[in-house]
Amino acid sequence: MTGQRHDLGASFARLTRMMIDAETPILRAHEIEMWDYTVLSALESAAAPTQAELAAAVHRDKTRLIPILDRLESRRLLSRTPDPTDRRNRVVALTDEGRAVLASCRVDIRAMEAEFLASVPPAKRRTFIEVLNQLADLTAPGRSQSDDRE
Amino acid sequence: MTGQRHDLGASFARLTRMMIDAETPILRAHEIEMWDYTVLSALESAAAPTQAELAAAVHRDKTRLIPILDRLESRRLLSRTPDPTDRRNRVVALTDEGRAVLASCRVDIRAMEAEFLASVPPAKRRTFIEVLNQLADLTAPGRSQSDDRE
DNA sequence: TATTGTTATACTCTATAACTATA
DNA sequence: TATAGTTATAGAGTATAACAATA
């Protein structure tokens, strides 16, 4: 613990704010909001079997998620279909159009990220991203541990 | 841009949340809140010549900063003294007691951070922290650039 | 009776605009 | 008149609790 000038929390918070500032105009150009993008991203790898599960994945409670889902569903970016097994559940899935919007946002965001990281030498950049992903996955790889408060 | 599994923003946001969750009980043990700690930290290297400047440094507007300053001043952790040059200004500075509280919080937070980073090999850890600090300082080293929105 | 999704209510937080004092 | 700090008001966001449908 030598040259650690800032608290990790302070650095992460500042970088989060910087990325939000950089992503907001990009997403606006694609006519979606930050939370829309978060939800679409959460559905990319697999559909959510339950709205409550999706809410936990994006760290919102199920109540606050509903208006977001309403908006995205009305724009045909995702679908809510009752689970035949248990008709109380609604499985949330990306539509083809939703997947396309997500992909085009992703392209622009990746470009922004590349520019943001441009000043970092490639080797260090790779290490940074590797460690970043490792740490970010520490408690929430598949929500296996006690990540359910909230 | 190869193995970059998550958006940078998503990773930073998750890590920020993890650090807040880890710091909150530590700060509570020292009987201060997150924003108290942020403000005290901002005053560590130098006193703030103006409340407005301090507010900008911690990314709050001057209005929302006031209750925090009131609380910290009443606990004698910082002082607000009128600037003789321009008596409208109040220069905000750490008291000895404030500096002591900050230092003891810092010890516990550093220990938490060390544990958090324990799974990362030392060389990678050093690189990670180096790049992290470099990136976090990109736009806000001394608030030299246009960091004044908000 | 318990649970999923939904809606409604109360509460907190945030943003904006006045107000006081200095300049 | 303009600015620093403060206070007050209005608005947005969040949390909690009730509700309907299904199990």
Side-chain angles (χ1 to χ4, degrees):
Chain A
M1 298 303 102
T2 34
Q4 191 168 320
R5 291 168 19 221
H6 305 298
D7 290 348
L8 290 184
S11 295
F12 290 146
R14 174 163 307 188
L15 287 165
T16 300
R17 199 163 33 225
M18 290 167 76
M19 295 317 277
I20 289 176
D21 290 346
E23 286 182 14
T24 300
I26 293 174
L27 296 178
R28 182 157 43 220
H30 291 272
E31 295 179 307
I32 67 175
E33 301 177 17
M34 184 63 71
W35 276 110
D36 298 339
Y37 179 71
T38 302
V39 167
L40 295 177
S41 295
L43 296 171
E44 187 174 27
S45 59
T50 277
Q51 291 187 188
E53 205 159 306
L54 177 59
V58 299
H59 290 273
R60 306 222 92 182
D61 66 54
K62 54 178 185 170
T63 298
R64 294 184 287 169
L65 182 63
I66 291 174
I68 302 171
L69 295 181
D70 290 345
R71 176 173 58 236
L72 292 172
E73 188 183 31
S74 74
R75 292 185 53 190
R76 317 285 178 191
L77 301 184
L78 56 78
S79 61
R80 285 192 277 194
T81 57
D83 176 3
T85 304
D86 183 342
R87 298 224 312 287
R88 291 174 303 184
N89 298 341
R90 306 181 74 176
V91 21
V92 186
L94 245 41
T95 63
D96 289 342
E97 195 178 343
R99 198 170 293 277
V101 168
L102 179 61
S104 65
C105 288
R106 184 68 45 79
V107 168
D108 292 348
I109 286 176
R110 283 287 184 271
M112 177 277 289
E113 291 180 349
E115 187 180 359
F116 177 70
L117 296 171
S119 65
V120 181
K124 288 186 179 180
R125 183 164 57 213
R126 274 191 297 276
T127 299
F128 177 75
I129 291 176
E130 177 196 335
V131 174
L132 186 72
N133 279 308
Q134 176 191 331
L135 291 175
D137 281 339
L138 263 187
T139 38
R143 275 181 305 295
S144 49
Q145 295 159 19
S146 61
D147 189 33
D148 308 274
R149 69 239 134 110
E150 184 177 18
Chain B
M1 297 305 106
T2 35
Q4 192 167 320
R5 297 175 8 228
H6 305 298
D7 290 347
L8 290 184
S11 295
F12 290 145
R14 175 163 306 187
L15 286 165
T16 300
R17 200 162 35 225
M18 289 167 76
M19 296 316 278
I20 289 175
D21 290 346
E23 286 181 13
T24 299
I26 293 174
L27 296 178
R28 182 156 44 220
H30 291 271
E31 295 181 306
I32 66 175
E33 299 176 18
M34 184 63 70
W35 276 111
D36 298 339
Y37 179 71
T38 303
V39 168
L40 295 178
S41 295
L43 297 172
E44 187 174 27
S45 59
T50 277
Q51 290 188 190
E53 205 160 305
L54 177 59
V58 300
H59 289 273
R60 309 223 89 183
D61 65 54
K62 54 179 186 170
T63 298
R64 293 185 286 168
L65 183 63
I66 291 175
I68 302 170
L69 294 181
D70 289 345
R71 176 172 57 236
L72 291 172
E73 188 182 31
S74 74
R75 292 185 52 190
R76 317 283 178 192
L77 301 184
L78 57 78
S79 61
R80 286 192 278 195
T81 57
D83 176 4
T85 304
D86 183 342
R87 298 223 314 286
R88 293 174 302 184
N89 297 341
R90 306 181 74 176
V91 22
V92 186
L94 246 41
T95 62
D96 289 342
E97 193 178 345
R99 198 171 291 277
V101 168
L102 179 61
S104 65
C105 288
R106 184 67 46 79
V107 168
D108 291 349
I109 286 176
R110 283 289 185 270
M112 176 277 288
E113 290 180 350
E115 188 180 0
F116 177 70
L117 295 172
S119 65
V120 181
K124 288 187 179 179
R125 183 164 57 212
R126 274 191 297 274
T127 299
F128 177 74
I129 291 176
E130 177 196 334
V131 174
L132 186 73
N133 279 308
Q134 176 191 330
L135 292 174
D137 281 339
L138 263 186
T139 39
R143 274 181 308 293
S144 49
Q145 296 160 21
S146 61
D147 187 34
D148 309 275
R149 67 234 138 117
E150 186 178 16

